[in-house]
Amino acid sequence: MTTKTRDPRVPAGYDPSQFPAFAVTVDMVILTMSDNRLHVLLVRRGVAPFQGMWAIPGGFKRPTETLDEAAKRELAEETGVDSASLLTQFGAYGDPGRDPRMNVVTVAYLAVLRDVGAVAAGTDASEASLMPVSEALSGKVRLAFDHARIVVDAIERVRVDLELTGIATAFVGPTFTLAELRAVYEAVWGVQLDSANFRRSVVAEDGWVIPTGRRARPGEAGGKPAELFRAGRMWKHGGPIRRSQSSERRKGDS
Amino acid sequence: MTTKTRDPRVPAGYDPSQFPAFAVTVDMVILTMSDNRLHVLLVRRGVAPFQGMWAIPGGFKRPTETLDEAAKRELAEETGVDSASLLTQFGAYGDPGRDPRMNVVTVAYLAVLRDVGAVAAGTDASEASLMPVSEALSGKVRLAFDHARIVVDAIERVRVDLELTGIATAFVGPTFTLAELRAVYEAVWGVQLDSANFRRSVVAEDGWVIPTGRRARPGEAGGKPAELFRAGRMWKHGGPIRRSQSSERRKGDS
DNA sequence: AAATGTTTTAGTCATCACGACAATAACTTC
DNA sequence: GAAGTTATTGTCGTGATGACTAAAACATTT
């Protein structure tokens, strides 16, 4: 912070109107896995500006709460989710024209969810929907405000966090197979990983995943039933899976 | 952003006074290497609150500029440095009590400098000084506002960026020896790296450092004159040096 | 000039992480 | 029971990396 050290204005009681006033909001990029693809939660705006366009959920920060608390409160209000730890602040946006009505600075948060069902019905939003990020960013739909840029930054952030933290297990349920966990990496990074090597790396890291005795039901096409794991205590520094730019062919190559 | 979709208030022209007003500032954590140790630039506050305490430089955002522009402007005003690319936003802070006068949300930036001389004299600050981060954070000095927390977060950020980006060369001059570059890693990570292995890794990565033909003068204690390099085009994804938590003994061990 | 010390630079070696791939196990459906 | 599909185990070769040794190129001292 904050006030320039030179400025010998009113020493004790400032007049806040002397400084440019901003509205401060928190916006959340809520990511989840659905149909083995990365989805983002969007709401349709019911009022001007950008009426009828898709936007990411958010709301105003209150003076009595911290930014993290505001994000947590808004997340609970709009999606009914009460998860504390998976909220990550990743950027602030304050371009002059980003809100045509007034000066607004928004602080953007990234949330990773697993339960898709609980998301659909928000308390406010006139319409809420999960949209694949590839579709949300491919120019076909235009997001309100600068939300397209915010979503892009969130994707980049989750890509890095996937390598550095234990955020991967937040995408899947409390119990999961390694194929489900691998699908998270593949979808977020857009690569294809060898299932055998993936298992080796994940299991080798001590305390990452803990095997429960049970096995999952095979999928549509049959196959050997997969072992069920639950998330262990998270990482120390760097998760078990590293992004490799050279080999390990890109998803889509044949 | 931003306004809740439910709220059918004034559709076209809002009344900004309906929403809590905040002051928005940008604060900069300016890091540099001096005497082979990581230093942070601090200014002494001349006015209340926290009068006489050390703080990181910063200032108010103007409604007509972006956050990045505000940071760049403040950096130029307070230090005379006009470097564009090395400014990284790393966090926003808006705890209710962080400024006793009013509601202030600050956006924190990280700047890495090499030229120590140009920093010392700011245009405003009554007193500016470089302080080792170990000293600034070890409880001996108390920083104003929540600046201690901000500096801690900045250090953590630069630790990660050192592994993921080409920020290392920003600490050293336009031409440098590998020992100087290695000192950056050692100071920021608090480790000790083998000079031979360091050279091998850095040189192996193509385009990272470019050898100029010249050699540096040996230091105080003599020794073989080191080769002078200049920074190449930066990374693709991930720099040449990786942080290892296990081996490669910690600095200070013997 | 020779000896000693210091730092840089080159080279060797062993270990380990990891990608590629083969083979087996355990289910499904037909 | 046969065929298909997925999970899981195992092997192999390569490349990255830490530890270490040695030579090269300077300064200072004797």
Side-chain angles (χ1 to χ4, degrees), chain B:
Chain B
M1 245 271 349
T2 165
T3 125
K4 295 295 209 37
T5 49
R6 64 171 161 192
D7 234 334
R9 305 184 193 228
V10 197
Y14 271 73
D15 178 12
S17 67
Q18 287 190 12
F19 307 106
F22 289 85
V24 174
T25 60
V26 290
D27 288 329
M28 282 103 49
V29 177
I30 300 171
L31 298 178
T32 191
M33 289 287 296
S34 191
D35 192 28
N36 274 359
R37 287 195 301 172
L38 193 61
H39 284 65
V40 57
L41 177 69
L42 299 179
V43 296
R44 193 182 285 278
R45 286 185 58 82
V47 299
F50 302 104
Q51 185 170 6
M53 293 181 69
W54 291 104
I56 60 176
F60 285 93
K61 174 195 185 303
R62 298 172 183 167
T64 56
E65 66 187 358
T66 68
L67 288 164
D68 287 5
E69 288 168 357
K72 185 179 177 182
R73 174 180 55 79
E74 289 288 342
L75 180 62
E77 283 183 15
E78 308 229 353
T79 70
V81 177
D82 188 26
S83 302
S85 63
L86 37 71
L87 269 172
T88 313
Q89 175 192 312
F90 69 90
Y93 300 84
D95 282 10
R98 65 180 299 276
D99 191 317
R101 300 161 301 181
M102 54 198 279
N103 298 323
V104 179
V105 169
T106 195
V107 179
Y109 279 81
L110 168 67
V112 171
L113 264 50
R114 48 181 167 81
D115 199 17
V116 184
V119 169
T123 81
D124 330 291
S126 60
E127 188 180 357
S129 168
L130 288 175
M131 188 180 294
V133 292
S134 56
E135 183 177 345
L137 296 179
S138 287
K140 309 183 67 172
V141 294
R142 288 251 309 277
L143 301 187
F145 303 101
D146 50 359
H147 287 189
R149 180 185 163 200
I150 295 178
V151 172
V152 168
D153 292 349
I155 302 300
E156 186 51 40
R157 171 62 177 248
V158 77
R159 273 199 246 260
V160 174
D161 276 11
L162 199 63
E163 193 171 11
L164 265 49
T165 76
I167 203 178
T169 52
F171 279 96
V172 295
T175 175
F176 52 89
T177 70
L178 292 187
E180 292 173 331
L181 192 64
R182 180 167 49 90
V184 173
Y185 287 86
E186 293 183 335
V188 172
W189 286 345
V191 297
Q192 199 158 354
L193 301 175
D194 184 86
S195 59
N197 295 333
F198 182 84
R199 180 189 185 85
R200 188 191 3 161
S201 298
V202 171
V203 174
E205 200 84 5
D206 189 49
W208 245 107
V209 294
I210 301 174
T212 136
R214 303 183 302 136
R215 308 186 84 84
R217 263 198 309 277
E220 289 279 325
K224 178 175 176 176
E227 201 174 354
L228 278 176
F229 292 86
R230 61 186 176 87
R233 55 154 170 65
M234 300 277 164
W235 91 124
K236 31 179 186 275
H237 166 260
I241 302 295
R242 281 217 167 128
R243 186 153 42 149
S244 73
Q245 64 276 18
S246 51
S247 46
E248 199 81 37
R249 63 205 168 269
R250 282 235 157 189
K251 204 173 189 176
D253 300 5
S254 64

Side-chain angles (χ1 to χ4, degrees), chain A residues 10 12-13 18 25 75 81 95-96 108 130 153 196 200 224 243 245:
Chain A
V10 198
Q18 287 191 11
T25 59
L75 180 63
V81 178
D95 282 10
L130 287 176
D153 292 349
R200 181 185 6 137
K224 178 176 177 176
R243 185 148 49 146
Q245 64 277 16

